[in-house]
Amino acid sequence: MVAIHAPSLPADALARCGKVAFAAAPHDRADHTEPGREHGSETTRLATGQASRSCTVYDWCEETGDHIDHIGATRTVLDTRGDELVRCNLIHLSDGQPVVTIRDSDFAPVQARMKARELRELADAMDVMAAKVETARARG
């Protein structure tokens, strides 16, 4: 399962972004964020006094109103219990360069592509393992 999920950022980064709360996708409320307080929701924009206009710097940034830190949608892969296996997103904090984050590590573009290649290889290996499990289960 892949869910759009809230980024894990240092508390000061969230404060600098002026956000009240971030939330997971509606089907993944593991963070127990109140409905209506989701990142980018009208309630959040009203609570923080932000205008509802989109980011004027990056098309991937989900921040609205005046902001100096840019945070994109987070992609998360969950396990069978709903716990996070891996997550990644784009972040450009005002005091640094844009990066791809994977869990709590920042990667430059070349590094992110190398990790993506490793993850594709892992996914291919998982497909092979799944086929072997199907065969083993069919034998009974």
Side-chain angles (χ1 to χ4, degrees):
M1 166 186 280
V2 176
I4 302 300
H5 197 264
S8 245
L9 296 174
D12 67 322
L14 293 177
R16 288 185 290 155
C17 294
K19 292 296 172 211
V20 172
F22 284 92
H27 62 277
D28 178 25
R29 290 236 168 251
D31 65 349
H32 307 292
T33 305
E34 297 174 42
R37 302 299 273 186
E38 293 89 359
H39 166 69
S41 74
E42 189 61 26
T43 304
T44 299
R45 287 191 295 271
L46 293 173
T48 60
Q50 292 182 339
S52 60
R53 66 178 172 78
S54 299
C55 179
T56 59
V57 177
Y58 296 118
D59 62 353
W60 52 261
C61 178
E62 293 196 334
E63 301 299 302
T64 57
D66 294 332
H67 60 279
I68 58 174
D69 294 324
H70 304 278
I71 303 167
T74 299
R75 300 294 303 249
T76 302
V77 177
L78 306 174
D79 67 14
T80 56
R81 295 173 304 217
D83 296 330
E84 179 183 282
L85 288 174
V86 67
R87 80 172 172 292
C88 69
N89 72 326
L90 298 170
I91 295 177
H92 184 184
L93 299 179
S94 62
D95 59 354
Q97 293 290 316
V99 294
V100 173
T101 65
I102 302 173
R103 294 202 62 133
D104 296 324
S105 298
D106 296 340
F107 295 90
V110 169
Q111 296 169 317
R113 286 186 181 103
M114 288 171 39
K115 290 300 170 192
R117 186 175 19 245
E118 289 177 41
L119 291 168
R120 279 190 290 278
E121 290 170 3
L122 175 65
D124 290 343
M126 288 174 61
D127 280 337
V128 170
M129 290 178 206
K132 289 178 181 183
V133 168
E134 286 175 336
T135 300
R137 287 184 175 186
R139 288 184 182 164

